[in-house]
Amino acid sequence: MHEAAPVNPWVALAYLIAGVCFILALRGLSSPATSRRGNRMGMIGMGIAVVTTLATHWPWVSATGASVGIDGTIPTFTTDWASAAEILAAIAIGAVIGLTTAKRIAMTAMPQLVAAFHSLVGLAAVLVGVAAYLNPAAFGISSLVVPMIGQPFAVINPVSKVEMGLGVAIGAITFSGSIIAFLKLNGSMSGKPILLPGRHAINLVTLAAILILVAQFAHTQDTWPFWVVVVLSFAIGFLLIIPIGGADMPVVVSMLNSYSGWAAAAMGFTLGNTAMIVTGALVGSSGAILSYIMCRAMNRSFISVIAGGFGATDSGGGGAAAIDRPWKRGSAEDAAFLLQQAEQVIIVPGYGMAVAQAQHALREMGDKLKEHGVRVKYAIHPVAGRMPGHMNVLLAEANVPYDDVFELEDINSEFAQTDVAFVIGANDVTNPAAKTDKTSPIYGMPVLDVEKAKTVLFIKRSMGGVGYAGVDNEVFYMDNTMMLLADAKKMVEEIVKAFD
């Protein structure tokens, strides 16, 4: 039977330090005030993990030409530069793509970028699993190094086959699901749920088939169950995400993040890599916890969302037209006057602010109001934007003081005592239909009570547009609402110019 090679204590220590850095990174990312430090700790941890992995798997070649790895001894070897060139080229290509993307990507496209990255993690897990299946001896997971009669590969340890099968399945689901999420977030596919007849039965049967085939593969190591698992897993990823509508997409992004973590952890077991196991478990568990918290914030069933749109109906969202009712239109001068006369203003940012890149102008407006003695606060809904923390990141980028930013449960009670609620492109998260209309796709989702303020100033491009959930907002037509129809950044800049 195959026995695992002894672990170099220095390698174990390096991976332990990397794991601690990842834990500190998650701790730092839990608050905007410490997010920069959290990012740095994550970068340090990943750097340690990558360098350690390169050191332990560098393509050394002995005098006899046999490729070996570091095993604690210090023999004299030369580098197999052909293999080393492939490794260095892959690192260089990935670095160039990462740096270029980071510099060019707009904050409005960050949700799509996250979904795309999740898809790559899932695809990487699938490719690693396939490589391990095709050449198990190279990964140290074979029981015998001699192929058995009637089987094209060496016999793999049963436990490794379970890890491999589950890792490939989760990775394939993550890849295909993330592709659909990317297309919906990017506007290449409608945000409206696509409801297939009998979708729940199809999903359950497919998932059950995947588990049965993984068990079959672990028992026999036949070729066909492995490849059928790969195909079915790619298919179920599409089927799970297609029925989920735009209103639930932030939860989907978070859940796919969790899936990518579990796929990495499963491949870590296959490769015997401690860093991958620890990192994958951290990402998987934190993503699942965040998804659960977001579902509670949206009054959604966690199981329903991740199971692929349980409870969605054919009438839900996606293309509702605006209601033809009377509404009041205001100008930048009107808004400037009302804001300066207020004692307290609560600013509610949404995806419209992100699209217009209006966060810096908004912070300038807030600073001007403070100079006039106005109390200024920012109200953040848990799912404002199209990914968790989207608005927090934008406000932090504009150097909005952290003490001025409040979550929904901490500020919702203050709207009734607020003079002006200044809403900038936040439709779904301020829609009272979530509290009253049982036919609405956002019914039951906690929303910001902006309509309770004395005056609501609502910036949006036009009255014809609707939010990502595809429903009109009752606030637009209330007596205390003044609509400011323009590009968000341009309107805020004109308001600032109109201040005394």
Side-chain angles (χ1 to χ4, degrees):
M1 297 294 290
H2 169 80
E3 294 183 2
V7 179
N8 187 314
W10 293 107
V11 173
L13 178 61
Y15 282 150
L16 176 62
I17 294 173
V20 172
C21 288
F22 294 141
I23 294 172
L24 294 175
L26 288 176
R27 178 67 182 88
L29 292 172
S30 64
S31 169
T34 58
S35 59
R36 292 178 184 269
R37 183 167 70 246
N39 270 319
R40 293 191 190 100
M41 294 306 299
M43 293 166 63
I44 293 171
M46 186 56 67
I48 294 173
V50 170
V51 170
T52 303
T53 301
L54 283 175
T56 55
H57 294 78
W58 190 254
W60 300 109
V61 178
S62 69
T64 60
S67 296
V68 299
I70 294 176
D71 58 2
T73 61
I74 312 178
T76 301
F77 294 108
T78 59
T79 296
D80 177 1
W81 286 110
S83 299
E86 294 177 354
I87 295 173
L88 295 176
I91 293 174
I93 293 172
V96 170
I97 293 174
L99 288 172
T100 304
T101 303
K103 289 182 177 180
R104 293 184 178 180
I105 196 70
M107 285 305 301
T108 51
M110 194 59 64
Q112 296 95 299
L113 178 66
V114 172
F117 281 170
H118 291 164
S119 72
L120 295 178
V121 174
L123 183 60
V126 174
L127 294 177
V128 169
V130 170
Y133 174 60
L134 296 177
N135 190 9
F139 289 84
I141 59 175
S142 59
S143 298
L144 299 173
V145 295
V146 180
M148 296 187 67
I149 298 175
Q151 292 188 355
F153 312 114
V155 177
I156 304 174
N157 293 320
V159 174
S160 295
K161 285 186 284 189
V162 173
E163 297 164 355
M164 188 186 303
L166 292 177
V168 167
I170 298 172
I173 292 171
T174 303
F175 173 75
S176 54
S178 297
I179 293 298
I180 295 299
F182 172 85
L183 294 174
K184 288 197 173 191
L185 290 166
N186 199 49
S188 304
M189 177 182 290
S190 173
K192 183 178 180 180
I194 301 175
L195 306 178
L196 302 176
R199 63 190 182 281
H200 302 320
I202 294 173
N203 292 345
L204 291 175
V205 170
T206 305
L207 289 172
I210 290 172
L211 295 176
I212 292 172
L213 289 169
V214 169
Q216 171 76 6
F217 172 67
H219 179 65
T220 65
Q221 199 178 321
D222 290 337
T223 300
W224 69 268
F226 179 82
W227 293 111
V228 174
V229 165
V230 173
V231 173
L232 289 180
S233 299
F234 278 126
I236 194 65
F238 288 115
L239 295 174
L240 285 173
I241 306 304
I242 282 178
I244 300 177
D248 291 327
M249 199 51 61
V251 180
V252 173
V253 172
S254 177
M255 201 61 225
L256 289 170
N257 178 50
S258 178
Y259 290 168
S260 68
W262 296 124
M267 287 300 104
F269 281 108
T270 298
L271 301 178
N273 189 299
T274 307
M276 286 185 66
I277 296 172
V278 173
T279 306
L282 287 172
V283 173
S285 56
S286 60
I289 292 170
L290 177 59
S291 299
Y292 177 73
I293 292 173
M294 293 176 65
C295 282
R296 291 189 59 186
M298 298 168 64
N299 196 31
R300 290 287 196 270
S301 167
F302 180 70
I303 299 299
S304 297
V305 173
I306 66 172
F310 270 88
T313 63
D314 294 303
S315 62
I323 302 173
D324 185 14
R325 294 168 53 185
W327 51 278
K328 292 187 295 185
R329 181 169 186 169
S331 64
E333 290 74 17
D334 298 329
F337 175 79
L338 291 170
L339 289 167
Q340 287 180 297
Q341 300 302 312
E343 294 184 5
Q344 175 167 293
V345 172
I346 297 180
I347 298 173
V348 181
Y351 188 68
M353 181 192 75
V355 172
Q357 289 290 289
Q359 61 269 26
H360 295 282
L362 193 65
R363 190 217 60 208
E364 182 183 0
M365 187 188 81
D367 291 342
K368 292 287 186 181
L369 289 174
K370 290 178 182 178
E371 293 175 4
H372 284 79
V374 180
R375 294 191 305 274
V376 178
K377 297 182 178 181
Y378 297 79
I380 305 295
H381 192 280
V383 295
R386 294 187 181 176
M387 66 176 288
H390 200 178
M391 295 301 105
N392 300 80
V393 172
L394 290 172
L395 294 180
E397 179 191 6
N399 294 318
V400 171
Y402 302 127
D403 293 340
D404 292 348
V405 181
F406 297 86
E407 299 296 332
L408 177 146
E409 62 272 10
D410 298 323
I411 201 170
N412 227 12
S413 61
E414 294 193 31
F415 281 103
Q417 292 80 42
T418 296
D419 297 293
V420 177
F422 189 86
V423 186
I424 177 167
N427 190 359
D428 297 333
V429 298
T430 61
N431 196 335
K435 297 178 285 186
T436 59
D437 186 0
K438 293 184 178 181
T439 65
S440 173
I442 62 172
Y443 177 73
M445 181 178 77
V447 293
L448 292 161
D449 298 331
V450 297
E451 75 279 4
K452 295 182 179 180
K454 294 179 181 177
T455 300
V456 179
L457 299 177
F458 209 118
I459 298 180
K460 65 192 306 280
R461 286 184 176 272
S462 69
M463 292 300 292
V466 292
Y468 195 60
V471 292
D472 206 19
N473 194 335
E474 191 75 15
V475 171
F476 301 161
Y477 313 101
M478 292 184 173
D479 293 336
N480 62 331
T481 299
M482 180 181 293
M483 301 300 300
L484 307 173
L485 304 183
D487 174 81
K489 182 179 180 181
K490 182 178 179 181
M491 174 58 70
V492 174
E493 290 175 343
E494 290 178 355
I495 291 173
V496 172
K497 291 179 183 178
F499 284 156
D500 293 336

